Amino acid sequence: MNNLIKNVVNAIKSIPFGIKILSIVILIIMIVLIIISIIIVEESKQKYELYDGTNLNEAKYPGYKELIDDLQTSHPNWTFTLFYTRLDWEEVISNEGHSDSRTNPLNLIPDSSDYPEDWRCEIDGDKRFDNGTWLCASDKAIKHQMDPRNILNEDNIFQFSELKYTEGAQTVDGIKSLTEGSFLEGDSIAEALLQASKNENLDAYFVTSRLIQEQGRDGTRLSRGYEYNGVIVYNPFNIRATGNSSEEIIQNAAQYAYEQGWDSLEEALIRGIDFMKNGYIDVGQNTLYLQKFDIVNQDEELYTNQYMQNLLAPESEASNMKKIYEASNTVDSSLNFIIPLYENMPEEVSK
């Protein structure tokens, strides 16, 4: 062994000085390149950071800070988590917008005079989708609904609310305040919704709001019970409710419920909550906004895993959630809001 060591030392000594220096320089360059590549990879990763009032770069992300600070002042118990998406704003809009290569639009708006003409995408114009009452949304409409600065206000902030169960913030009475006069009315349903949400660590008001959003206050055939293959099935979350006609949509949703064995409303509620958790919450889509716009690459995919096509759904659901929190006097509980940050955001807020 000693002879081997001596031979290695002698071999190294025999290497010309110039070659030694060159080897050292090459080694240093390789180390530097490795370090740079590691930094680049880390900088490209999405990350979350709790906002502390000083850690938001206003030059890179214009218009955010003042809006967040105003909300923080009005609600001292609220916290805000900055979500660095690492995605370019215009690239996001391009991917969310409709194109000739996509069969169905990712984003739809109601066929209504309530919305301006330029909210309809140019590619499809007046072409109807879903049950025949929906139109393809334009890039302008998508920008307006996706721009976080249009959401950082009292009316819309619950689109960013982290959808987790918070002890004391969600109550049976709060659920009953929203479900009164609806197909979900009653103590037993409210208690079941609260317990099932607690078991899955989900915001019970979100679950209730989602049900109202999907079924309306009176419910539909999918929530009141629909006969499929001789069995009465329920699908109150409208899971797999897709198609280009009302009957096709109902049949697809009923088939899914039948295959899952959802033969009671209670069973469908519990399993539907589990579906949302596994399919969305557990892959990082843990706000209303993120369930509509799949900008989380935790599953290494973007723009594909969205809960609904309705571009306006997060705004509507957020309004319902806020009403429940206010009715139950828990709006100032310790709630957290996840704020997406995009790269190359324009100074001007999207109109």
Side-chain angles (χ1 to χ4, degrees):
M1 179 61 71
N2 289 337
N3 289 334
L4 177 61
I5 294 173
K6 287 179 181 179
N7 290 334
V8 170
V9 171
N10 290 333
I12 293 174
K13 287 180 179 180
S14 66
I15 298 174
F17 181 75
I19 295 179
K20 289 181 183 178
I21 295 298
L22 180 61
S23 300
I24 293 173
V25 170
I26 292 173
L27 180 59
I28 292 173
I29 291 174
M30 290 177 62
I31 293 172
V32 169
L33 290 175
I34 291 171
I35 293 173
I36 290 174
S37 65
I38 291 173
I39 292 173
I40 291 174
V41 169
E42 288 301 315
E43 285 297 314
S44 67
K45 287 183 179 179
Q46 295 185 334
K47 73 170 185 176
Y48 299 83
E49 186 175 289
L50 189 65
Y51 177 64
D52 64 9
T54 64
N55 58 339
L56 179 56
N57 187 332
E58 295 180 80
K60 286 193 67 176
Y61 309 106
Y64 280 82
K65 188 178 187 307
E66 182 178 355
L67 296 172
I68 297 175
D69 288 344
D70 286 346
L71 288 167
Q72 182 88 78
T73 299
S74 300
H75 305 278
N77 291 330
W78 288 3
T79 56
F80 299 87
T81 297
L82 304 176
F83 171 35
Y84 290 88
T85 67
R86 309 300 193 195
L87 301 175
D88 178 82
W89 171 246
E90 291 296 338
E91 185 179 334
V92 169
I93 299 304
S94 176
N95 279 283
E96 286 288 344
H98 198 30
S99 65
D100 290 328
S101 62
R102 182 176 286 143
T103 304
N104 293 304
L106 291 179
N107 296 284
L108 301 176
I109 59 170
D111 180 10
S112 170
S113 59
D114 291 342
Y115 307 101
E117 284 290 324
D118 59 6
W119 272 37
R120 303 181 180 192
C121 71
E122 294 182 0
I123 295 176
D124 289 310
D126 292 330
K127 182 180 178 180
R128 268 62 174 173
F129 293 90
D130 199 57
N131 62 2
T133 64
W134 296 87
L135 302 169
C136 169
S138 69
D139 286 1
K140 181 177 181 180
I142 295 169
K143 280 185 177 181
H144 182 271
Q145 295 302 113
M146 285 196 75
D147 192 330
R149 297 166 298 185
N150 283 327
I151 300 170
L152 288 167
N153 55 64
E154 293 281 354
D155 291 333
N156 297 302
I157 187 60
F158 277 89
Q159 292 183 53
F160 293 149
S161 176
E162 185 177 5
L163 302 175
K164 65 179 181 179
Y165 179 79
T166 303
E167 191 70 46
Q170 298 120 39
T171 67
V172 169
D173 287 340
I175 295 174
K176 288 168 61 179
S177 71
L178 181 65
T179 58
E180 184 178 358
S182 76
F183 76 100
L184 293 169
E185 184 176 32
D187 290 349
S188 61
I189 293 291
E191 290 168 0
L193 285 172
L194 184 66
Q195 188 58 52
S197 300
K198 183 176 182 178
N199 291 346
E200 297 291 350
N201 192 28
L202 284 178
D203 186 324
Y205 292 171
F206 149 66
V207 173
T208 307
S209 175
R210 174 60 54 84
L211 287 165
I212 298 294
Q213 175 75 26
E214 294 292 342
Q215 299 294 319
R217 299 197 64 78
D218 295 332
T220 68
R221 285 182 283 175
L222 290 171
S223 56
R224 293 192 297 266
Y226 182 83
E227 184 173 348
Y228 186 88
N229 279 358
V231 177
I232 302 299
V233 297
Y234 299 80
N235 191 341
F237 288 102
N238 283 346
I239 298 170
R240 300 288 189 264
T242 58
N244 288 315
S245 70
S246 296
E247 194 57 36
E248 183 181 357
I249 291 168
I250 290 173
Q251 284 295 309
N252 287 338
Q255 179 182 346
Y256 183 81
Y258 175 81
E259 292 170 350
Q260 303 303 311
W262 296 352
D263 56 4
S264 72
L265 180 57
E266 289 78 10
E267 176 72 10
L269 288 172
I270 293 171
R271 298 307 172 196
I273 291 172
D274 185 60
F275 173 89
M276 285 194 298
K277 183 175 187 299
N278 292 333
Y280 295 90
I281 304 297
D282 288 349
V283 294
Q285 292 175 260
N286 54 351
T287 71
L288 295 173
Y289 182 97
L290 295 177
Q291 288 184 14
K292 175 66 192 84
F293 308 112
D294 181 11
I295 55 168
V296 182
N297 65 5
Q298 185 172 312
D299 58 356
E300 299 185 353
E301 289 189 24
L302 294 168
Y303 314 115
T304 58
N305 193 45
Q306 64 175 31
Y307 190 89
M308 71 290 280
Q309 288 176 284
N310 180 1
L311 179 64
L312 308 173
E315 182 178 335
S316 176
E317 287 190 74
S319 177
N320 283 334
M321 283 183 64
K322 182 188 176 189
K323 288 176 183 176
I324 310 178
Y325 273 105
E326 289 177 336
S328 60
N329 294 316
T330 56
V331 73
D332 283 314
S333 301
S334 299
L335 304 175
N336 184 52
F337 299 86
I338 299 173
I339 317 301
L341 302 177
Y342 299 100
E343 303 305 310
N344 303 312
M345 284 292 288
E347 290 278 348
E348 186 177 347
V349 178
S350 304
K351 303 297 184 185

